Each structure stands twice: as structure tokens, then as C-alpha cells.
Amino acid sequence: MAFLKKFFGQKSDSQSSLYKTNLNEIYNKSPFQKKQITSTIQDQKKLEQFELVLEQQIIDLEALKKLTWRGIPNEYRAKVWKLIVKYIPPNHMSQTTILLKKRQDYQQYIKNYYEHMNEQERDENERKIIKIIQNDVLRTQPDYKLFRDPRIQEMFKRLLFIWNMRHPMSGYVQGINDVASPLIVVFLNEYVPIDFNSFDVPSNFDKLPEEILIDIEADIYWCLCKIIENIQDYFTANQPGVQEAYVKIRELIKILDYPLYQYFEDQQIDLNHFAFRWVLCLLIREFPLSLTIRLLDTYLAEGDEMANLHVYTVTNLILKCAPEIKSKNMSEAVIFLQNLPTKEWTEVQLEMLLQEAFVFQDHFEKTKGHLKLNQGNTNRSSIL
């Protein structure tokens, strides 16, 4: 399988067969069953692999992306994200200069767009946007104390407003706050240790100098810009990227699970009833914050193909819920889909979701134009 070759190296036929068997076995189990993660030796090996790549004078970005796809150790995630979104260059000699320049540029943005006038001097549209952003910041990641901290909220509000001012084609759109939220945790962790389970306010956070916090804010802003570039159509007028994603998701469901497709048709369940948030916010609201950070490792490793893998991941999530969905009536099914029990998922389950999504993507993108969209031609078991 191409997936195995790309991310796990060449395997023998027997190894590939065993992997495929295990994949199907896990796929057919309940997606909400908790699994234990015992990977101390693997974690140490992963650390060493990242160290070897990151110590290179000119970092091999393709090798780094290959490692990143399978998850990044917390110690290296901030630097790796900056590298793979091309915020900083792979050449160590240039990184400090580029970082300093970008941070200085952002400080100027603060002066130009945020500090140059008081609330009364802003026009009506600016005041309206600030109010929307402020409300969204208060609602972002409500389960975690870190996002209730006044300094974090002020930083969050400011960078989203500056993003709005610097991107007049789309302006600020609700959902960008969700995409930015994992960046806050990851880049803050470079300076103060974050508990990646509780996401409480670090005990020494109040001692963090304001100039460091501004540097963190600058890094978040620039990396957010890079991420949004890959899903820009999600946030422009009429959100054509979301509509295109819907079309593809429907087609894939029709091919992979025709009874589920027919159920949606019969019950008149539209993707807009539940999937708008899934697509727009990159599934960030559907999982615990620790898992959304892990999810972004893989998404960012995909580069320009991030939106494409995202579509397959959303599709796969729907397919995993198919038995539960089809056992309900229309209103029950929509309520279930709007409140998935994925908050209890483990990293193992998320990784399986992503691996299967990649297998689907690899299969369908290679056979594009040769698939008949009718019942019974393809099923997910034959692909996996």
C-alpha cells in the first residue's frame, strides 16, 4: 500500500498483510472504545529521530514532514511547526534574522492597527469586529483555564483583530479563532511548560515578560497566516471552499457507504446540519485540545494538500459513526452528529482515523476519473 511505503518504509508482503488485517480489525471496533497508550520506547526513538533532522545545518523539510505526519514530541513541536509552514527557513544561519524581522514587523502592526487610536476613534465596522472577536475569544476552548487568563485573552483578541485588518478580502470570520487556539498552546510552551492534559495556566506564567509574550503573539500570527493560506476559500465570501468540501464528502460517502448516503437522502439530512463546523474549524472543536494539536501535526505535514486530507478525515469520521447514525431518526441523528462523543477519544483512535483517511485519499486521488458513483462498486473494506 502506498500509505505504508510513504510513512512506514517498504514492508514485506506478509508485514503489509498483517498491517492491513490489524487496520481492518481496529476499524470495525467501536471508535469510542478507549485504548491504552504505552509507548515509552517509541517516544524516545521519536525524540532521537527529530533531533537528527533538526540538528542539520540545512534541515531536510521532506524528512521532517515525514516524521511530523506521525506526531511531534512536545519539546520540538513549536520549532517544527514554524519550519513546515515555512515561517522560518530550513537554513539555521538565516533563522534568527528572519524571526527577528517578522517579530519587528508584527510589533509595527500592533502600533499601526491596534494602539494608534482608542475605541471611540474607530469606525463603526472596526468596533463591530472587535466586539465579535471579543465574544469569540471568550468562547474559545471553554474547557481549559489557560484560555480564561486575561493576558492570553488580550493577546488573542489583538492578533485576531490585526489579522482582520491585514486581510480585507475576507476579514475576520468566526472559526479562525479555533484554528489559532492550538498555536497559542504550542508556542507558549517554548517559554513556560504547559501541561498538555489539563492546559491550566502555568505557575510561572505571570513572570513571563511582556516582550516575550509579544514575540509569541507574533509567531502565532504569522503561522496562522500560513495555515489560512491553505484553506483561504473557507473564509472568503460565500465560503466556496466549504461548499466544495461538501460536494466531495457526499461523493465519497455515496461510494464508500451507499446505505448511509441513502439514509441521509431519505431523512433529508444535509451536511450543513452538522459538518459546517467540522470543515471550517478543521475538527478542532470536536476533539480534546491535546488531540487537535496532534491532528494539526499531520495536517501541517501535508502542506498544500492539507485541505484535501481534511476532507477525507471528515468523511472517515462520518463513516465511523454510520451504525449509530442509521439507528436513529432524523432529529436524533443530527443531535448525535452535532455532539459526537469524540471528547473521550485517545491518540491511538485519532491516528487510526488519519491513517485510514490517507489510505482513502491515496486510493481515490490515483483513480480519479475512473470511479463510477453508484451502489456496490467500491467499499471501504476493500480499500483498507
Side-chain angles (χ1 to χ4, degrees), residues 60-300:
D60 183 341
L61 289 182
E62 290 307 309
L64 187 61
K65 287 177 181 179
K66 182 177 177 180
L67 289 175
T68 297
W69 211 99
R70 290 174 280 167
I72 310 170
N74 290 334
E75 300 91 323
Y76 296 126
R77 184 172 278 115
K79 182 167 186 178
V80 172
W81 280 12
K82 291 173 189 176
L83 282 161
I84 61 177
V85 301
K86 300 180 181 178
Y87 170 45
I88 58 175
N91 189 330
H92 277 285
M93 297 292 289
S94 308
Q95 288 175 2
T96 301
T97 302
I98 296 295
L99 206 55
L100 181 61
K101 174 67 166 59
K102 287 290 189 179
R103 289 171 174 177
Q104 289 174 339
D105 288 346
Y106 184 76
Q107 289 173 19
Q108 191 61 47
Y109 293 167
I110 292 176
K111 293 176 183 176
N112 292 348
Y113 299 112
Y114 201 79
E115 294 179 344
H116 75 293
M117 61 179 70
N118 59 41
E119 193 70 18
Q120 288 70 37
E121 293 174 315
R122 297 191 184 280
D123 63 36
E124 184 179 349
N125 185 58
E126 289 180 354
R127 289 197 296 272
K128 181 180 177 182
I129 289 295
I130 286 178
K131 183 65 175 176
I132 291 171
I133 290 172
Q134 189 167 352
N135 289 337
D136 283 354
V137 165
L138 293 174
R139 289 192 289 257
T140 303
Q141 300 292 353
D143 298 331
Y144 306 108
K145 292 180 181 178
L146 179 63
F147 288 86
R148 308 281 71 79
D149 183 88
R151 291 178 80 192
I152 292 294
Q153 290 184 339
E154 177 59 25
M155 175 184 74
F156 205 0
K157 171 184 166 185
R158 181 168 55 222
L159 77 89
L160 291 176
F161 181 74
I162 290 172
W163 197 95
N164 171 79
M165 298 300 288
R166 293 284 304 169
H167 297 81
M169 288 281 293
S170 62
Y172 172 75
V173 177
Q174 290 172 315
I176 294 176
N177 56 310
D178 295 289
V179 177
S181 61
L183 298 172
I184 291 176
V185 175
V186 170
F187 293 148
L188 186 62
N189 188 58
E190 279 194 289
Y191 297 90
V192 288
I194 300 291
D195 184 328
F196 278 75
N197 292 310
S198 68
F199 297 100
D200 287 339
V201 179
S203 57
N204 55 348
F205 179 60
D206 60 336
K207 297 182 175 64
L208 191 69
E210 192 64 27
E211 57 268 26
I212 296 296
L213 201 58
I214 293 294
D215 285 347
I216 294 170
E217 182 179 333
D219 294 346
I220 296 165
Y221 171 82
W222 288 114
C223 288
L224 177 64
C225 291
K226 295 288 187 179
I227 293 170
I228 298 295
E229 281 178 14
N230 287 320
I231 50 173
Q232 187 67 50
D233 286 350
Y234 287 4
F235 301 102
T236 52
N238 300 318
Q239 299 173 304
V242 174
Q243 302 308 316
E244 289 172 13
Y246 284 172
V247 170
K248 193 163 189 175
I249 292 167
R250 287 191 195 96
E251 290 179 351
L252 288 167
I253 293 173
K254 189 172 184 179
I255 297 165
L256 292 166
D257 193 334
Y258 189 82
L260 178 61
Y261 173 83
Q262 194 60 55
Y263 170 85
F264 283 149
E265 292 290 301
D266 293 343
Q267 297 292 326
Q268 297 183 324
I269 297 176
D270 189 87
L271 290 176
N272 231 20
H273 291 154
F274 64 91
F276 179 77
R277 184 179 73 195
W278 296 14
V279 173
L280 185 74
C281 302
L282 301 180
L283 290 171
I284 286 170
R285 292 193 198 177
E286 314 316 313
F287 294 104
L289 183 53
S290 59
L291 292 191
T292 65
I293 290 170
R294 170 62 190 88
L295 177 69
L296 278 185
D297 288 345
T298 298
Y299 277 6
L300 298 184

